[in-house]
């Protein structure tokens, strides 16, 4: 039997520009995935990069760019590359899709179906042994297209079974079916005189890689967050990732010790949410977590402007440790900024069909710690290291005082309170006089 070769495609300048732009998208996403994998040390991201690269090679070969612009050695073996690229890309894509759909754990039909698709793509590589290369390419085109169609229906089944990320992947695989059909038709010369169908094929190929890459990135981001949560420090709150518990006490303790060494004043600011029970009754635990998370984000945004540490003091309160004050009057600015930020309405369930605004009842209390602070019973008789400061006791005392001031702050218009430096009475922060 004659070894008939597929014709080498001759592309017009418009076709070269079209397919070059399409391939450029694949190169861009392969590069971005590689950088993402290197930065996060993520194996799934590296697998995504390899998948995009193999799919891009399939587009380069079947679009005719390799034969048109590639080296002579590549042109000589173009028939072999046409037979390899499709099944190989299908094998890599179906292997990744099976893992993405978690077919082995979720559904036997999807798992067995994906195994059939993988086996079909692998078997199509045997067409390299077929003596009639043009006929082998036709069989390969039929086989890869059927495998792509099977992958699409299995992805749709996964979506019907409730997998939330299967919908965008089903859209991607639908575009893949049209892209595979169009690319093989182009390789066989069927689309050589139809620029419109080539544009449609290139668009489907681009949609496939864009939607697929973004869906895989979302899944990889979920895995990354879970991995970070598992390796999370016990010293930080799970929801807000702020200091809590004994670690927060140590943080205040260290800040007091530094203030003593540098002969500076420091302060602790407490932000107290007082209507959290109403929040839980109205929106449940999920709504409460949303508000707590948003509250911590606003506090960190304001506090980090001055590089101040933020901690979670209780279920419904946060503290900001203001280390080494240059001017005591800056407490007024920071405290009032925090009060304004946390009193803005919170949107609960923003992604639902009926988002609801929630206004938090919040108080801000500012407890100052100066060198001359009276410690009463907390002073140690034999303290030489801190010169009369029992820093751990002062830390507890300061946190407690700031929390009490935060509760009293609700009586003031600004919802921010401090102990006046002269009268030693609780006053509104905006009215306080600083020494």
């Amino acid at each position: 039997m004659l070894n008939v070769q597929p014709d080498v495609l001759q592309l017009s300048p418009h076709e070269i520009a079209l397919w070059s732009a399409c391939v450029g998208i694949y190169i861009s996403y392969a590069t971005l995935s590689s950088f993402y994998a290197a930065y996060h040390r993520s194996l799934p991201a590296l697998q995504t990069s390899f998948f995009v690269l193999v799919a891009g090679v399939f587009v380069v070969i079947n679009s005719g760019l390799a034969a048109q612009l590639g080296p002579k050695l590549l042109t000589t073996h173009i028939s072999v590359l046409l037979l390899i690229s499709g099944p190989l890309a299908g094998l890599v894509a179906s292997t990744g899709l099976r893992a993405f759909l978690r077919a082995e754990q979720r559904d036997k039909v999807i798992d067995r179906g994906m195994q059939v698709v993988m086996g079909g793509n692998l078997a199509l590589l045997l067409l390299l042994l077929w003596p009639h290369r043009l006929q082998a390419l036709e069989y390969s085109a039929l086989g890869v297209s059927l495998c792509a169609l099977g992958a699409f229906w299995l992805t749709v089944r996964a979506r019907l079974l409730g997998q939330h990320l299967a919908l965008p992947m089903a859209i991607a695989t639908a575009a893949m079916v049209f892209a595979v059909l169009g690319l093989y038709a182009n390789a066989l010369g069927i689309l050589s005189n139809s620029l419109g169908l080539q544009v449609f094929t290139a668009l489907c190929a681009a949609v496939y890689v864009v939607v697929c890459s973004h869906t895989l990135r979302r899944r990889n981001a979920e895995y990354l967050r879970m991995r970070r949560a598992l390796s999370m420090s016990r010293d930080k709150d799970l929801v807000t990732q702020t200091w809590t518990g004994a670690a927060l006490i140590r943080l205040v303790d260290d800040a007091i010790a530094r203030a003593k060494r540098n002969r500076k004043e420091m302060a602790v600011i407490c932000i107290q949410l007082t209507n959290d029970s109403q929040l839980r009754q109205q929106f449940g635990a999920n709504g409460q977590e949303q508000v707590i998370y948003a509250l911590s984000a606003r506090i960190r945004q304001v506090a980090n402007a001055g590089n101040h540490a933020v901690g979670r003091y209780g279920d419904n309160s946060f503290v900001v440790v203001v280390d080494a004050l240059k001017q005591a009057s800056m407490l007024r600015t920071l405290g009032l900024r925090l009060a304004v930020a946390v009193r803005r309405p919170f949107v609960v369930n923003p992604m639902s069909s009926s988002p609801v605004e929630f206004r938090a009842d919040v108080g801000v209390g500012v407890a100052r710690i100066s060198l001359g602070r009276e410690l009463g019973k907390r002073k140690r008789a034999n303290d030489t290291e801190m010169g009369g400061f029992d820093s751990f006791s002062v830390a507890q005392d300061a946190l407690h005082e700031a929390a009490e001031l935060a509760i009293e702050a609700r009586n003031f218009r600004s919802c921010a309170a401090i102990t006046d430096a002269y009268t030693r009475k609780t006053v509104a922060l905006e009215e306080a006089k600083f020494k």
Side-chain angles (χ1 to χ4, degrees), residues 2 7 62 64 66 99 165 185 220 266 277 282 290 304 311 324 345 381 421 435:
L2 295 175
D7 295 334
N62 285 265
L165 286 180
N220 293 342
M266 59 89 62
S277 58
Q282 186 174 356
Q290 290 181 48
N304 286 344
K435 290 182 179 179

Side-chain angles (χ1 to χ4, degrees), residues 367-402:
R368 298 172 63 185
I369 302 174
S370 59
L371 293 175
R373 180 171 180 148
E374 293 294 333
L375 302 177
K377 295 180 181 180
R378 294 186 175 89
K379 183 181 287 188
R380 298 180 296 186
N382 59 348
D383 193 342
T384 57
E385 180 185 356
M386 297 299 295
F389 268 75
D390 180 351
S391 60
F392 189 78
S393 297
V394 175
Q396 291 178 313
D397 185 52
L399 287 167
H400 181 68
E401 180 182 334

Side-chain angles (χ1 to χ4, degrees), residues 97 100-102 106 110 151-174 211 215 218-219:
L97 184 60
F100 175 84
L101 297 176
R102 299 175 187 172
R106 283 183 172 269
I110 297 176
F152 166 70
W153 285 115
L154 291 170
T155 309
V156 171
R157 177 180 173 83
R159 177 65 186 93
L160 294 175
L161 291 176
Q163 192 164 352
H164 70 287
L165 286 180
L167 178 59
M169 192 59 76
I171 295 172
T173 50
V211 177
T215 306
R218 285 178 61 188
R219 171 60 59 81

Side-chain angles (χ1 to χ4, degrees), residues 130-316:
W130 197 268
H132 196 295
R133 288 293 169 83
L134 184 59
Q135 194 177 57
L137 181 60
E138 292 172 348
Y139 291 150
S140 179
L142 178 61
V144 173
S145 300
L146 289 175
C147 288
L149 188 61
F152 166 70
W153 285 115
L154 291 170
T155 309
V156 171
R157 177 180 173 83
R159 177 65 186 93
L160 294 175
L161 291 176
Q163 192 164 352
H164 70 287
L165 286 180
L167 178 59
M169 192 59 76
I171 295 172
T173 50
M176 175 187 67
V177 172
F178 290 107
V180 167
L181 289 170
L183 283 165
Y184 270 116
N186 189 67
L188 292 168
I190 299 173
L191 301 184
S192 57
N193 296 321
S194 178
L195 182 60
L197 289 177
Q198 289 194 46
V199 170
F200 176 74
T201 301
L203 182 63
C204 289
V207 168
Y208 169 60
V209 72
V210 170
V211 177
C212 201
S213 296
H214 280 278
T215 306
L216 290 172
R217 185 191 61 79
R218 285 178 61 188
R219 171 60 59 81
N220 293 342
E222 288 181 359
Y223 284 156
L224 187 62
R225 284 195 296 270
M226 286 189 290
R227 190 174 68 186
R228 286 176 176 173
L230 290 173
S231 61
M232 194 176 297
S233 171
R234 294 183 180 179
D235 292 336
K236 289 192 174 182
D237 177 59
L238 181 64
V239 176
T240 62
Q241 280 298 281
T242 53
W243 299 104
T244 190
L248 178 60
I249 299 292
R250 289 195 300 268
L251 187 69
V252 179
D253 179 29
D254 293 340
I256 292 172
R258 284 193 301 272
K260 172 63 178 176
R261 287 194 302 267
N262 299 327
R263 304 195 65 79
K264 297 283 188 179
E265 183 178 355
M266 59 89 62
V268 175
I269 302 176
C270 180
I271 300 93
Q272 182 91 20
L273 175 65
T274 58
N275 60 341
D276 59 310
S277 58
Q278 175 191 343
L279 173 64
R280 178 180 282 272
Q281 288 177 0
Q282 186 174 356
F283 301 103
N286 182 51
Q288 185 182 32
E289 286 187 358
Q290 290 181 48
V291 172
I292 291 295
Y293 183 82
L295 181 63
S296 70
R298 292 183 187 180
I299 293 170
R300 282 182 293 179
Q301 184 180 23
V302 175
N304 286 344
N307 297 319
H308 306 306
V310 178
R312 189 170 182 183
Y313 185 46
D315 291 339
N316 57 347

